[in-house]
Amino acid sequence: MDEVFQKMEGGNAAIATYYAGDYLSMLENNEDLAYVVPEEGSNWFVDAMCVLKTSQHKEEAEAWINFMASTEANLRNMDYIWYASPNAEALETYPAYYEETYGEPLDPALYEIMAPSQEVLDRCEAYLVLPAETRTLYNDLWTQLGI
């Protein structure tokens, strides 16, 4: 993924599938980039944290996860990595947080990329476990594009 990031940010590739938050980071260094969710839709993803059943520090790990799930941590994380949050309060209050932090309003177009509308999300789906032949097809097609 780092290679794709560097190619797109440097203007050395014409197209790539990439994460919205990373696009917003790349945009800071390359204003010629554009972000598109195709009319046909796309996939969406959710990062997750988990703790091994056999963890020696399960209580501490769960405390960390609880901290990271807090509204304040989510606001700061959204601001740092430009990714939406599963924390509804943080997602709703991020524009105000941004304005308070930077003294200017958050560009609504950037927020729409960061936190897509329900209309956009309705066109997308989670790719839970794609069949092996589908994964092979995706890899072959991206290889043909030279990405």
Side-chain angles (χ1 to χ4, degrees), residues 6-81:
Q6 292 166 354
K7 282 184 175 184
M8 292 303 296
E9 186 181 48
N12 299 311
I15 187 171
T17 301
Y18 219 71
Y19 305 110
D22 287 339
Y23 160 77
L24 292 168
S25 293
M26 287 185 263
L27 188 62
E28 293 174 359
N29 295 316
N30 185 344
E31 294 180 0
D32 292 331
L33 295 173
Y35 181 83
V36 176
V37 175
E39 289 180 24
E40 300 84 359
S42 185
N43 71 310
W44 53 270
F45 71 96
V46 177
D47 286 333
M49 294 185 204
C50 57
V51 181
L52 294 173
K53 290 184 210 179
T54 58
S55 173
Q56 294 180 9
H57 301 283
K58 186 175 180 181
E59 196 172 306
E60 291 87 346
E62 289 172 347
W64 172 252
I65 291 171
N66 288 337
F67 165 74
M68 289 303 295
S70 72
T71 298
E72 184 61 30
N74 270 257
L75 287 168
R76 289 180 183 208
N77 194 45
M78 289 172 67
D79 195 53
Y80 184 71
I81 64 171

Side-chain angles (χ1 to χ4, degrees), residues 46-146:
V46 177
D47 286 333
M49 294 185 204
C50 57
V51 181
L52 294 173
K53 290 184 210 179
T54 58
S55 173
Q56 294 180 9
H57 301 283
K58 186 175 180 181
E59 196 172 306
E60 291 87 346
E62 289 172 347
W64 172 252
I65 291 171
N66 288 337
F67 165 74
M68 289 303 295
S70 72
T71 298
E72 184 61 30
N74 270 257
L75 287 168
R76 289 180 183 208
N77 194 45
M78 289 172 67
D79 195 53
Y80 184 71
I81 64 171
W82 288 101
Y83 279 59
S85 170
N87 179 311
E89 183 180 7
L91 195 59
E92 183 179 312
T93 60
Y94 181 73
Y97 172 89
Y98 183 95
E99 187 166 354
E100 183 179 314
T101 302
Y102 298 102
E104 62 185 34
L106 175 63
D107 181 339
L110 296 181
Y111 188 64
E112 173 71 18
I113 292 168
M114 178 187 217
S117 66
Q118 191 60 51
E119 177 188 339
V120 171
L121 292 175
D122 287 345
R123 297 191 331 251
C124 299
E125 63 182 294
Y127 296 168
L128 300 178
V129 178
L130 296 174
E133 59 272 5
T134 303
R135 293 191 310 266
T136 299
L137 174 62
Y138 278 12
N139 287 335
D140 291 348
L141 292 171
W142 280 114
T143 300
Q144 287 176 20
L145 286 171

